[in-house]
Each structure stands twice: as C-alpha cells, then as structure tokens.
C-alpha cells in the first residue's frame, strides 16, 4: 500500500462482531475468561486493549515496523525505553533537543546512574569522540527542537553498528509521512503522538515502533509492568486522526514553505530555521532522508531583542501562543520560557538557542490569513 492507503486501512479491520468500519472504543478494564488463564487474547486493559492493539498495528505499518507500543505520553514512551539501561550505561544525544527530553535525561535518570552526553550531532566526529565501553545508545532527534538541525540518520546507524549500539530516533517533528527512520537502519522510533499523528490537539500520547522481536518483548513487558498506557478513548481519537495524516501533512508542508520563504525575505527578520531553505546548513541531508520539509519553523528578529520577540508573540491573532505543535491550528511559542525552560540558560545558549527565538507550528489554515497575521505581528 502507498502511504495514504496505509493511513486509512493499515492495522484496522472492521469489527468482527458487528462489522463496524471504525474500531470500537473498548471501554473496559477486564475481560471474561472461560477457565483460569484461558481467554480470547485479552485479560486486563493495562496489558492489552483491542482499541490500543489496532492503533499499535496502524503505527507500526506507517513506520514500516513490525511492532508498535503506545504510552500515555511521549515522555512515558521515553521513560519506558530508558528502563532498558542500568547504572553506568551512557547515552549520546544531540545538544539541541526538546526540553522535556533533556529533563528526563538529566533530572530523572542521571541521578539513578545513567550518563548522558550532549553533542552537536550534525558532526559525526563529535558523536564518535563520546563513544566508549559504557555507551549503549545514540538518541537522535531530527529535525531538532527548536533549531531545526538535521541529523544524518544513516550516518548515525553506520557509526552505531561499529560499536554495537542502539539507535533511537525521535520522529515527532516529521511523522511517518515525512521520514521513516527504521528504513534508514534505526532500531527504535519514538513519537509524541500528541503532535502530528493525533493532529487535533485533543490527545496526549506517545509511541515506540521497532522491528526486533526480543527488544519488543522486553519493552512490552515494561509497558505492562510499569503501566504508562493510554486509554481506549484516546486510542480511538488517534486512529481517527491518522486517517487524514497524509492530507494534513501535505498542507502543513505547503504552508510551511510559503511562510519560511516569506520570513527569509522580511526586512525585520534575522535568521530563519527551516530545512527546506537551500541556505540551511543541513539542507542536503534533509533532502536525502525526508519526503518534504514540514511545518515547523523557528526564526529570530534582527537585533535579537527579547522584548521585540515577546511583542510579536503577543500580537499574533491566528497563531495561538501555546505549548505543543502539530495540530491543524497554527501555534507560536517562545522556547526559552516555554518548551525549553528546563534547560539551563548557559546550555541553551551554547547550543545556539537564543532567548529571542520564536517557534512556529504552521497549521493548515488558508495561507493568505497566516501571512497576513505574520505581517501585522512583525510589522
């Protein structure tokens, strides 16, 4: 199946009992057994739920993987993945990443004995220099949040295989429509399903997708044992959102391109961070591994004055000032005080994240209205 057909059909079958086209919401905590330990594949909804099973199968199909696992949030998915490791293990990550990822690495798992290295992962030698006998995983986020750096997944995989390391990719900014890391050799894909996959700003959820059977068994055990699972209502909403994923992503990309081009020519705009621009330093890598360039854009104003950036954010009408991204509506944000406030200021600035940076999640509204909103907000 092509992607659009997968989005509508993969992993989802009509209900065998009623013929319902849409997967029912199995709003139940437990299931009848004919004899102790004998059941129809479902015993307790923390372990398995038919609505969640359909969603996990759909996500696996979209990413080109064998196994999907859903969690109550993207950080819940990361938390489960990190439980694979033990004190003394080391993980290499990009130095430009989502603030919540940094927080769980540094403030939750580092006190338990894991060690994390944050490097500019566009440079393979920076990654190589941190690999030692204790290294267990390379954590890739591409495009990065919020500076839109592009990390070469295939190059990371090649380096990881030399040292028998896992490669996990946070694919949230792309969705499987734009990028499929498993096809590039990655071991695990993570999504904040809250974002583009759900697509309507009404669900909080995370997911892992992978191919390895043994690794899947271990993660499935942790999913059940630790219990950070989503409810069937949320799974139903995401299944509904997936059916329009390809159409939504096309419009996100179209609008994103026009807005990035507009910003790059605006006399008051300093720098535009969007991998589809030819002047982006990682544009060639983005062209190689992405289907299109997405609707996430960051930019600064000339002079890099914080108050000027705040003024723009306060004047927007259609770009709503809010956390999150990837919904049908356009959002704007101030990473330094919102999504990345948990990262110390000196670390943010070292990675290139200025206090004056503005991040846009470009929605699917009419582009003329969005451009007009930018014009009046920037002045």
């Amino acid at each position: 199946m092509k992607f659009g057909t997968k989005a509508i059909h993969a992993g989802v079958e009509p209900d065998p009992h009623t013929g319902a086209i849409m997967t029912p919401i199995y709003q139940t905590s437990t299931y009848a057994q004919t004899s102790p330990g004998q059941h129809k594949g479902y015993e307790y909804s923390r372990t398995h739920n038919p609505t969640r099973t359909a969603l996990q199968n759909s996500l696996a199909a979209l990413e080109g993987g064998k196994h999907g696992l859903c969690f109550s949030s993207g950080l819940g998915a990361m938390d489960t993945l990190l439980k694979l490791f033990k004190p003394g293990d080391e993980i290499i990550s990009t130095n430009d990443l989502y603030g919540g990822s940094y927080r769980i690495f540094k403030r939750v798992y580092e006190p338990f004995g894991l060690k994390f290295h944050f490097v500019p992962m566009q440079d393979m030698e920076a990654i190589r220099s941190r690999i030692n006998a204790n290294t267990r995983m390379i954590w890739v986020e591409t495009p990065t949040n919020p500076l839109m750096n592009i990390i070469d997944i295939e190059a990371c995989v090649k380096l990881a295989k030399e040292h028998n390391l896992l490669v996990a990719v946070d694919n949230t900014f792309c969705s499987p429509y734009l990028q499929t890391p498993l096809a590039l050799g990655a071991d695990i894909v993570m999504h904040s399903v809250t974002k583009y996959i759900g697509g309507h700003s009404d669900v909080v959820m995370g997911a892992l997708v992978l191919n390895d059977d043994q690794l899947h068994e271990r993660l499935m055990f942790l999913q059940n044992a630790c219990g950070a699972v989503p409810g069937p209502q949320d799974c139903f909403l995401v299944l509904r959102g997936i059916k329009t994923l390809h159409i939504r992503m096309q419009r996100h990309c179209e609008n994103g391109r026009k807005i990035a081009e507009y910003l790059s020519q605006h006399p008051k705009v300093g720098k535009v961070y969007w991998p589809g621009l030819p002047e982006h330093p990682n544009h060639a890598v983005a062209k190689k591994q992405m289907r299109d360039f997405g609707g996430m854009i960051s930019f600064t104003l000339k002079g890099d004055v914080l108050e000027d950036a705040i003024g723009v954010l306060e004047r927007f009408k259609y770009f709503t000032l809010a956390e999150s991204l990837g919904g049908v509506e356009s959002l704007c944000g101030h990473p330094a005080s919102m999504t990345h406030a948990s990262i110390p200021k000196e670390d943010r600035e070292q990675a290139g994240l200025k206090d004056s940076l503005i991040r846009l999640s470009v929605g699917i509204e009419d582009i003329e209205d969005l451009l007009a909103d930018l014009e009046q907000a920037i002045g």
Side-chain angles (χ1 to χ4, degrees), residues 56-57 59-61 63-69 182 208-214 216:
Q56 291 177 158
N57 291 341
L59 291 172
E63 281 287 1
K66 287 178 64 178
H67 308 292
L69 295 165
L182 296 180
L208 300 174
V209 180
L210 64 159
N211 282 314
D212 185 86
D213 294 337
Q214 186 175 357
H216 171 247

Side-chain angles (χ1 to χ4, degrees), residues 181-192:
L182 296 180
L184 300 174
D187 299 290
I188 302 168
V189 175
M190 192 282 289
H191 283 281
S192 174

Side-chain angles (χ1 to χ4, degrees), residues 63-97:
E63 281 287 1
K66 287 178 64 178
H67 308 292
L69 295 165
C70 288
F71 301 86
S72 53
S73 69
L75 287 168
M78 289 184 67
D79 180 64
T80 304
L81 176 59
L82 290 168
K83 287 186 173 77
L84 294 173
F85 306 105
K86 63 183 187 300
D89 289 345
E90 299 187 13
I91 294 169
I92 301 171
S93 172
T94 178
N95 65 342
D96 169 32
L97 79 167

Side-chain angles (χ1 to χ4, degrees), residues 124-138:
M124 288 300 115
E125 291 308 311
I127 302 175
R128 188 185 299 275
S129 69
R130 294 293 187 172
I131 295 175
N132 60 54
N134 297 320
T135 309
R136 297 292 178 264
M137 184 174 73
I138 298 175

Side-chain angles (χ1 to χ4, degrees), residues 239-257:
L239 282 167
R240 184 189 65 173
I242 284 174
K243 292 184 183 297
T244 59
L245 177 61
H246 56 303
I247 302 298
R248 291 186 284 106
M249 292 306 299
Q250 289 171 12
R251 184 62 169 263
H252 284 300
C253 292
E254 291 168 5
N255 284 356
R257 176 175 295 279

Side-chain angles (χ1 to χ4, degrees), residues 152-155 184 283-291 293:
D152 191 325
I153 296 172
E154 285 185 308
L184 300 174
H283 178 66
V285 178
K287 285 183 67 176
K288 179 183 73 168
Q289 69 186 25
M290 296 171 65
R291 184 175 185 172
F293 304 107

Side-chain angles (χ1 to χ4, degrees), residues 289-343:
Q289 69 186 25
M290 296 171 65
R291 184 175 185 172
D292 205 332
F293 304 107
M296 295 302 301
I297 302 169
S298 295
F299 71 98
T300 58
L301 300 172
K302 287 182 178 176
D304 290 322
V305 178
L306 175 59
E307 288 73 19
D308 292 344
I310 291 174
V312 170
L313 290 164
E314 291 176 343
R315 285 191 293 270
F316 276 126
K317 295 179 180 178
Y318 298 131
F319 284 89
T320 302
L321 179 60
E323 302 268 356
S324 201
L325 60 104
V328 293
E329 68 290 317
S330 293
L331 300 178
C332 62
H334 181 241
S337 66
M338 296 169 70
T339 53
H340 292 68
S342 59
I343 301 177

